[in-house]
């Protein structure tokens, strides 16, 4: 936990000036606040003396009281502005660094992370930390100054009355400490319930088509109703504890006032204290009620923020991807695109068995490799090792003769244009999705030409706003095949020497596929390419085809050689041809 706070305190020195100004404002405003009731007491005492001179004097003192109160308020405003402002800026720094850190974490981190949980750490946990550091520290500092000086000022007027008034005031701290944890627990329960309710609704809305298809509207409705009832129950429980607390606070605060009125009144009657100072005492008592409440409450806020900081630290403690894991190679001047796997064996972190075993083959620069095999045979894994999404063992994967783990990550990744198996588009326009691949501006004509290489030209004409159609969550839903073609075009725009296509034509029909392959042929002639395909006709014309089976190279050769060999490739090819013919007849 201490380490957690050290991390956030690193952001503080940047905000020295506002913090210093804030601290000064805290001290000044609290001292003025304690001074003001004395002036009021004095004015009242002067008034009691009677006579017009006394009234003038009292009015004078009254003006000073007003001036001091206004000044105290102004300094309190300055304190809030500078301290809360500094805490907001420090939180923004923390958030920015956390986001940047997450962006640099390796693929295996995201394999095990839940998006919702990451977002909660980035938002509500950061907010909890900020709250304890800004408003929390402000209340602590304010109380540390206000309480002793006010008590000292009270004791100066009457020691015994001070002791009598402090009893109920200190009981406030105990009350808050007793009821506080319950309130915290119930508040968290309510927040969890709200989370549950919105998760339920989100899931149900996202799956609206499934809900309708299975006619489970009433089932969904009653599940939602259930969550809702739970929320109401928790909320009522929280309201009960809260009203207990407010009621108790009123009783104790009022009790302190009554003690002062009764015991102080007897001192006034006995003539040991001026009537005006009784009013001073009353003001002090009401002034101290809030700091007493905040003591108990700030302690809980600090506990909550310590837990939040630990959750944030868990992410900061994850190591970002190393740029190189072995001795850096001489910087690659120009990547030719010669790929080689040598006795590559790889197991995913935490997996029970190897995804690739003893894989050895080579891809000459500029040639096209077809990579096929049953589902789960390791095709995607092989591609993910090339771009070091996962780190392969040393010297098992080489680019232009260099062990890829010795090539700086940025250089390595710049050599590849990847179309992953699951097509992902940002929810923005098609044009902006494509522009993601290029450093500068992307001209509409180049975007159009590339989309037509990827076989999307006809579809593009039918889209409502052409290139400027917004796709994804907040726009038009593209079909699976259309999405795949946009991602292909995006990869083509990235002028990289090596192209990796992971089963990216699975969602288009055979005719469309043939047309796209025709368009891609020119693009692939200039590059090294690996084409993973489920449909074997996709890789027919590849220079070389490798068949993976359970992580091992089962067959390799050209299409003709593999068909002649009569193995898995030949059987599957024959089967798929029959299927295609039947499809054509239908
Ligand atoms: N991130 C991962 N963590 C653990 N195991 C994985 C991961 N990704 C894939 N695998 C496993 O590795 C094997 C190969 O998967 P994959 O490369 O996706 O096959 P393919 O692309 O040929 O269908 C499978 O057994 C799969 O379950
Ligand atoms: Mg795959």
């Amino acid at each position: 936990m201490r380490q957690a706070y050290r991390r956030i305190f690193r952001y503080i020195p940047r905000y020295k000036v506002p913090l210093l100004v804030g601290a000064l404002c805290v001290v000044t405003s609290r001292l003025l606040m304690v001074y003001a009731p004395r002036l009021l007491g004095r004015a009242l005492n002067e008034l009691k003396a009677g006579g017009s001179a006394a009234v003038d004097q009292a009015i004078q003192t009254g003006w000073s009281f007003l001036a001091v109160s206004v000044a105290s308020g102004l300094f309190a405003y300055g304190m809030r502005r500078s301290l809360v402002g500094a805490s907001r800026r420090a939180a923004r720094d923390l958030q920015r660094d956390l986001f940047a850190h997450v962006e640099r974490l390796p693929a295996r981190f995201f394999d095990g992370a839940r998006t919702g949980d990451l977002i909660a750490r980035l938002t509500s946990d950061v907010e909890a930390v900020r709250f304890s550091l800004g408003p929390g520290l402000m209340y602590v500092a304010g109380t540390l100054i206000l309480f002793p000086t006010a008590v000292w000022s009270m004791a100066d007027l009457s020691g015994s009355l001070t002791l009598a008034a402090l009893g109920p005031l200190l009981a406030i701290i105990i009350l808050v400490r007793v009821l506080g944890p319950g309130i915290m627990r119930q508040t968290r329960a309510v927040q969890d319930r709200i989370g549950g309710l919105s998760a339920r609704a989100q899931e149900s809305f996202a799956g609206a088509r499934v809900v309708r298809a299975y006619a489970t509207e009433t089932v969904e409705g009653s599940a939602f109703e259930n969550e809702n009832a739970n929320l109401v129950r928790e909320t009522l429980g929280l309201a009960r504890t809260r009203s207990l607390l407010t009621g108790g606070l009123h009783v104790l605060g009022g009790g302190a006032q009554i003690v002062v009125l009764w015991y102080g009144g007897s001192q006034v009657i006995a003539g040991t204290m001026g009537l005006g100072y009784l009013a001073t005492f009353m003001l002090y008592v009401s002034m101290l009620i809030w700091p007493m409440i905040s003591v108990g409450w700030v302690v809980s806020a600090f506990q909550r923020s310590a837990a939040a900081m630990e959750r944030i630290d868990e992410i900061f403690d994850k190591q970002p991807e190393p740029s190189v894991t072995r001795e850096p190679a001489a910087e690659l001047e120009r990547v030719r695109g010669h790929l080689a796997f040598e006795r590559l064996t790889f197991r995913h972190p935490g997996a029970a068995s190897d995804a690739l075993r003893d894989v050895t083959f080579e891809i000459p620069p500029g040639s096209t490799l077809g990579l096929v095999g049953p589902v789960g045979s390791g095709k995607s894994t092989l591609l993910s090792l090339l771009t070091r999404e996962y780190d392969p063992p040393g010297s098992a994967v080489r680019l232009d003769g260099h062990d890829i783990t010795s090539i700086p990550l940025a250089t390595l990744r710049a050599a590849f244009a990847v179309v992953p198996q699951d097509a992902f588009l940002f929810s923005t326009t098609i044009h902006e999705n494509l522009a993601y691949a290029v450093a500068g501006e992307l001209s509409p004509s180049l975007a159009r030409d590339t989309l037509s290489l990827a076989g999307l030209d006809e579809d593009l004409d039918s889209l409502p706003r052409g290139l400027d159609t917004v796709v994804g969550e907040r726009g038009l839903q593209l079909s699976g095949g259309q999405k795949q073609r946009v991602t292909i075009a995006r990869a083509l725009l990235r002028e990289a020497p090596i192209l990796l296509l992971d089963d990216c034509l699975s969602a288009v029909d055979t005719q469309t596929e043939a047309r796209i392959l025709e368009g891609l042929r020119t693009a692939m002639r200039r590059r090294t390419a690996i084409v993973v395909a489920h449909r074997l006709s996709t890789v027919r014309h590849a220079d070389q085809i490798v068949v993976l089976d359970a992580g091992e190279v089962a067959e390799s050769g050209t299409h003709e050689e593999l068909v002649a060999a009569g193995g898995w490739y030949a059987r599957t090819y024959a089967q798929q041809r029959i299927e295609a013919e039947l499809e054509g007849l239908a």
Side-chain angles (χ1 to χ4, degrees):
M1 172 181 147
R2 218 170 288 144
Q3 192 220 336
Y5 278 107
R6 204 169 312 141
R7 182 144 6 224
I8 184 104
F9 278 119
R10 270 212 312 266
Y11 298 104
I12 300 253
R14 271 179 240 179
Y15 305 111
K16 257 189 287 229
V17 176
L19 286 176
L20 221 64
V21 171
L24 229 67
C25 286
V26 172
V27 175
T28 320
S29 81
R30 297 300 107 150
L31 289 182
L32 291 174
M33 205 170 157
V34 172
Y35 184 52
R38 304 264 320 200
L39 286 173
L40 184 76
R42 199 195 302 160
L44 290 175
N45 283 344
E46 283 160 357
L47 211 54
K48 197 167 155 266
S52 70
V55 171
D56 283 349
Q57 183 68 42
I59 290 176
Q60 278 267 305
T61 317
W63 278 117
S64 323
F65 169 72
L66 188 67
V68 168
S69 302
V70 168
S72 155
L74 285 178
F75 279 107
Y77 171 74
M79 147 187 113
R80 227 163 243 289
R81 267 210 70 147
S82 43
L83 291 186
V84 175
S87 79
R88 284 208 184 279
R89 284 189 293 255
R92 187 194 56 196
D93 294 348
L94 176 67
Q95 221 158 19
R96 181 199 53 209
D97 292 353
L98 186 61
F99 181 81
H101 184 78
V102 171
E103 290 283 293
R104 290 190 301 129
L105 289 177
R108 85 185 112 81
F109 168 80
F110 292 95
D111 285 348
R114 289 205 331 250
T115 315
D117 178 62
L118 278 181
I119 292 173
R121 293 181 199 219
L122 192 68
T123 53
S124 49
D125 283 344
V126 169
E127 173 58 18
V129 171
R130 180 198 76 78
F131 192 82
S132 74
L133 282 174
L137 276 187
M138 185 174 75
Y139 289 130
V140 168
T143 304
L144 282 180
I145 293 165
L146 184 68
F147 187 76
T149 47
V151 170
W152 176 78
S153 176
M154 286 160 80
D156 181 46
L157 297 175
S158 164
S160 54
L161 188 53
T162 307
L163 281 182
L166 279 184
L169 284 180
L170 291 179
I172 289 181
I173 300 186
I174 296 169
L175 181 71
V176 173
R177 288 305 290 154
V178 168
L179 293 181
I183 291 187
M184 288 287 282
R185 192 161 12 87
Q186 285 171 314
T187 307
R188 196 160 314 145
V190 166
Q191 276 162 351
D192 285 350
R193 291 295 179 192
I194 293 175
L197 197 70
S198 60
R200 181 84 232 172
Q202 201 233 336
E203 174 98 2
S204 193
F205 295 157
R209 301 175 72 165
V210 179
V211 172
R212 249 168 306 186
Y214 285 80
T216 45
E217 291 92 341
T218 47
V219 179
E220 288 292 317
S222 63
F224 186 78
E225 179 55 28
N226 228 346
E227 287 283 350
N228 219 343
N230 285 333
L231 175 62
V232 170
R233 204 187 52 234
E234 302 282 1
T235 313
L236 287 181
L238 176 62
R240 257 197 304 277
T241 324
R242 270 206 183 133
S243 29
L244 209 61
L245 180 67
T246 7
L249 289 176
H250 277 117
V251 169
L252 290 175
Q257 301 278 23
I258 288 173
V259 167
V260 169
L261 202 58
W262 171 73
Y263 188 54
S266 68
Q267 289 188 352
V268 170
I269 290 169
T272 49
M273 191 170 72
L275 179 61
Y277 286 133
L278 189 59
T280 304
F281 249 95
M282 305 283 265
L283 280 184
Y284 278 140
V285 166
S286 56
M287 188 184 287
L288 286 176
I289 291 177
W290 171 243
M292 293 301 103
I293 298 173
S294 73
V295 166
W297 170 78
V298 162
V299 169
S300 324
F302 273 103
Q303 283 166 347
R304 156 116 178 75
S305 94
M309 198 67 225
E310 266 169 27
R311 280 160 50 81
I312 293 171
D313 271 344
E314 269 176 22
I315 299 182
F316 272 124
D317 288 342
K318 298 268 188 296
Q319 287 302 314
E321 290 179 291
S323 175
V324 286
T325 46
R326 269 159 265 280
E327 269 307 288
E331 187 72 23
L332 285 171
E333 282 296 318
R334 206 183 61 81
V335 175
R336 289 166 52 237
H338 179 198
L339 295 171
F341 302 93
E342 195 181 311
R343 313 214 55 177
L344 167 63
T345 297
F346 176 77
R347 178 181 297 202
H348 286 99
S353 58
D354 293 340
L356 293 170
R357 216 168 315 140
D358 207 16
V359 171
T360 302
F361 65 88
E362 244 179 274
I363 310 170
S367 74
T368 297
L369 175 95
L371 189 61
V372 296
V375 172
S377 55
K379 306 181 293 290
S380 297
T381 302
L382 192 83
L383 298 191
S384 71
L385 292 177
L386 280 172
T387 52
R388 269 185 59 203
E389 248 182 87
Y390 299 93
D391 263 330
S395 51
V397 183
R398 288 201 301 273
L399 168 61
D400 290 356
H402 297 285
D403 174 359
I404 62 159
T405 60
S406 70
I407 300 172
L409 209 52
T411 314
L412 178 73
R413 292 202 175 146
F416 292 93
V418 185
V419 184
Q421 193 164 9
D422 41 357
F424 176 83
L425 295 177
F426 295 100
S427 43
T428 173
T429 63
I430 293 181
H431 185 263
E432 278 177 45
N433 267 293
L434 294 177
Y436 202 74
V438 296
E441 283 283 302
L442 172 66
S443 73
S445 62
L446 180 57
R448 251 167 230 290
D449 290 348
T450 317
L451 281 174
S452 105
L453 276 188
L456 200 75
D457 34 359
E458 279 169 27
D459 306 61
L460 193 63
D461 294 335
S462 69
L463 290 176
R465 306 193 52 208
L467 274 178
D468 293 322
T469 307
V470 174
V471 295
E473 193 142 280
R474 287 165 50 214
L476 191 86
Q477 300 302 317
L478 295 183
S479 75
Q482 289 171 329
K483 247 190 347 208
Q484 284 183 335
R485 278 171 280 167
V486 178
T487 57
I488 292 173
R490 180 171 64 189
L492 290 178
L493 280 167
R494 185 181 167 115
E495 287 287 338
I498 307 168
L499 189 62
L500 305 179
L501 305 177
D502 192 354
D503 205 8
C504 59
L505 293 171
S506 58
V508 299
D509 56 58
T510 317
Q511 283 90 14
T512 315
E513 178 184 26
R515 197 157 56 80
I516 297 170
L517 286 174
E518 197 49 50
L520 287 181
R521 204 147 320 193
T522 38
M524 290 201 285
R525 240 198 305 277
R526 292 182 284 119
R527 308 171 204 217
T528 306
I530 301 185
V531 181
V532 171
H534 171 70
R535 215 181 272 138
L536 299 186
S537 57
T538 315
V539 295
R540 244 192 105 131
H541 301 289
D543 301 304
Q544 183 195 180
I545 298 165
V546 165
V547 180
L548 282 181
D549 185 22
E552 292 181 82
V553 176
E555 304 164 37
S556 70
T558 61
H559 172 77
E560 285 72 25
E561 287 166 2
L562 288 177
V563 167
W568 179 90
Y569 185 93
R571 281 197 308 278
T572 312
Y573 183 70
Q575 193 182 333
Q576 288 184 352
R577 246 184 52 180
I578 296 171
E579 281 165 10
E581 268 163 29
L582 289 176
E583 197 183 303
L585 288 178

